[in-house]
């Protein structure tokens, strides 16, 4: 598809202008990160969980500019790195971390929660293993309920995590699990690749200087599958994403499916390197992209009350416009790998 040279805000068209105008006028939301590395058991797991949590913490603060005060890292052994680890990953400390975020955040902020470790599921109860009493899906559901008005990205990268989707699903929530059910109980590799999506530069598929939750999910899912294929072993983990609130995660979300639109607009950074750059055209393209994504999400929410032909035609137009913006961002390639 040929793309004509753009000026000003580029390809902003039709109803997306309203969403973009709102995005430009609204104050930038803050990001709050809670990382919980659970019980490792064996030394090798303890080390792997700590390293993944530390890498995620560093990526949030050093690469994406989340203030240190907005990042909480809880681990099994806080004494191993007092500079990074804020407390022990017990149920009580996790609850305190959520309460602290609830008190200092405001409506519209993003709360990004990442669980790294082992999980289990039995008797209809899915659990994340931490020192002392485990945290159940029901426990986390109550904690997220205390974040009303915020956008929540909740990633359970542990084994047997699939049963967390339904209890935690809701409006303005993107739920990611490393497995498709509580029956996938083997060690997972999803956390390693999910963190790498933020720590490295390969997951930024549209080259806009940011990594969306959807990009991170797709990158990790792809790398997990490749790892099993390379090892010649049966794949025992199938990650899911649900962000339309229906409690049914899917393995391959896109902007055309019932899931993926919200996750595509969830970023650790409020703005990208392109926005912060001195190139106004790149900044305009990134803002236009955000407006188009918001329009697609709004359209999808109105699907049930919209004529099917009108819905499909409007969605097609918005997706074409979005593809044009993505192509321009990729061609400009303003951000190099760190």
């Amino acid at each position: 598809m040929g793309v004509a040279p753009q000026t000003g805000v580029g390809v902003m068209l039709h109803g997306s202008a309203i969403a973009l105008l709102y995005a430009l006028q609204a104050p930038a939301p803050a990001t709050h990160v809670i990382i919980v590395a659970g019980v490792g058991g064996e030394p090798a797991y303890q080390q792997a969980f700590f390293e993944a949590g530390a890498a995620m913490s560093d990526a949030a603060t050093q690469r994406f500019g989340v203030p240190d005060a907005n990042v909480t890292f809880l681990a099994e052994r806080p004494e191993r790195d007092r500079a990074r680890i804020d407390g022990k990953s017990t149920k009580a400390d996790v609850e305190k971390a959520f309460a602290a975020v609830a008190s200092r955040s405001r409506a519209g902020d993003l709360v990004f929660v990442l669980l790294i470790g082992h999980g289990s599921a039995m008797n209809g109860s899915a659990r994340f293993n931490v020192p002392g009493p485990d945290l159940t899906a029901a426990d986390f559901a109550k904690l997220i309920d205390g974040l009303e008005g915020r956008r929540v990205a909740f990633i359970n990268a542990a084994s047997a995590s699939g049963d967390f989707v339904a209890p935690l699903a809701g409006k303005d929530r993107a739920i990611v699990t490393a497995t498709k059910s509580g029956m996938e109980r083997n060690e997972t590799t999803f956390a390693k690749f999910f963190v790498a999506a933020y720590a490295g530069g390969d997951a930024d598929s549209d080259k806009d200087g940011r990594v969306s939750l959807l990009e991170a999910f797709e990158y990790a899912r792809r790398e997990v599958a490749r790892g099993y294929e390379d090892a010649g072993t049966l794949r025992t983990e199938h990650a899911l994403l649900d962000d339309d609130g229906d409690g049914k995660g899917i393995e391959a979300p896109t902007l055309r499916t019932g899931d993926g639109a919200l996750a595509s607009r969830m970023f650790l950074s409020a703005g990208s390197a392109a926005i912060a750059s001195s190139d106004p055209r790149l900044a305009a393209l990134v803002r236009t992209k955000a407006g188009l994504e918001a329009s697609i999400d709004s359209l999808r929410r109105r699907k049930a009350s919209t004529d099917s032909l009108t819905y499909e035609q409007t969605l097609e137009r918005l997706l074409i416009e979005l593809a044009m913006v993505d192509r321009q961002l990729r061609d400009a390639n303003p951000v190099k790998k760190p």
Side-chain angles (χ1 to χ4, degrees):
M1 179 187 299
V3 181
Q6 303 294 326
T7 59
V9 293
V11 297
M12 180 173 52
L13 301 172
H14 309 293
S16 57
I18 297 175
L20 175 59
L21 179 61
Y22 175 81
L24 291 174
Q25 292 176 340
T31 299
H32 308 267
V33 178
I34 300 174
I35 304 164
V36 185
V39 171
E42 299 177 12
Y45 288 131
Q46 292 178 0
Q47 183 66 21
F49 297 165
F50 161 73
E51 289 179 352
M56 189 71 234
S57 176
D58 289 348
T61 56
Q62 298 173 17
R63 187 177 183 207
F64 296 104
V66 180
D68 287 341
N70 285 11
V71 177
T72 302
F73 177 22
L74 305 177
E76 182 179 6
R77 293 174 52 201
E79 66 275 7
R80 73 185 305 159
D81 191 342
R82 293 290 184 182
R84 281 196 184 100
I85 303 174
D86 300 289
K88 194 164 185 175
S89 52
T90 61
K91 181 177 181 180
D93 277 7
V94 170
E95 291 172 342
K96 289 177 183 177
F98 271 84
V101 168
S103 65
R104 69 171 180 262
S105 61
R106 57 182 173 79
D109 282 0
L110 172 65
V111 180
F112 182 99
V113 182
L114 173 61
L115 309 184
I116 304 167
H118 297 304
S120 61
M122 59 180 65
N123 301 323
S125 177
R127 299 172 179 271
F128 177 68
N129 303 148
V130 297
D134 290 335
L135 282 152
T136 66
D139 291 329
F140 279 110
K142 291 179 182 178
L143 294 175
I144 295 177
D145 285 344
L147 300 172
E148 185 178 359
R150 288 74 161 175
R151 296 171 300 132
V152 176
F154 186 95
I155 304 94
N156 185 347
S159 52
S161 53
D163 288 348
F164 271 63
V165 174
L168 271 59
K171 183 177 181 294
D172 293 328
R173 299 178 185 180
I175 311 301
V176 170
T177 60
T179 75
K180 64 182 179 182
S181 73
M183 298 304 294
E184 292 189 322
R185 299 171 180 172
N186 292 350
E187 172 193 359
T188 59
T189 59
F190 183 83
K192 176 177 67 174
F193 296 116
F194 183 81
V195 170
Y198 289 98
D202 293 335
D204 181 15
S205 59
D206 58 14
K207 304 303 179 187
D208 69 347
R210 305 178 291 180
V211 175
S212 71
L213 179 62
L214 181 60
E215 286 176 318
F217 175 83
E218 291 176 334
Y219 175 85
R221 183 174 62 88
R222 182 172 64 249
E223 293 303 311
V224 165
R226 180 177 299 160
Y228 281 92
E229 290 172 4
D230 290 347
T233 57
L234 179 66
R235 187 173 166 189
T236 57
E237 56 183 297
H238 299 79
L240 299 179
L241 184 149
D242 168 63
D243 68 0
D244 64 359
D246 67 357
K248 299 177 182 178
I250 61 177
E251 291 186 48
T254 69
L255 293 182
R256 277 195 172 279
T257 65
D259 294 291
L262 178 61
S264 73
R265 296 186 290 108
M266 286 180 159
F267 304 93
L268 288 181
S269 52
S272 73
I275 290 178
S277 77
S278 59
D279 188 333
R281 178 172 173 271
L282 292 176
L285 284 171
V286 172
R287 290 195 296 267
T288 300
K289 175 181 169 69
L292 288 167
E293 289 170 336
S295 293
I296 291 170
D297 189 35
S298 177
L299 175 66
R300 286 182 53 252
R301 291 179 182 275
R302 302 194 309 272
K303 181 177 182 180
S305 60
T306 303
D307 173 75
S308 60
L309 179 60
T310 300
Y311 175 84
E312 291 297 333
Q313 290 177 338
T314 305
L315 179 61
E316 184 71 22
R317 172 177 57 77
L318 290 171
L319 289 173
I320 290 173
E321 294 177 28
L322 182 60
M324 292 170 68
V325 176
D326 280 340
R327 177 171 175 174
Q328 292 177 78
L329 284 166
R330 286 194 299 271
D331 289 346
N333 194 21
V335 180
K336 305 297 182 182
K337 294 180 183 180

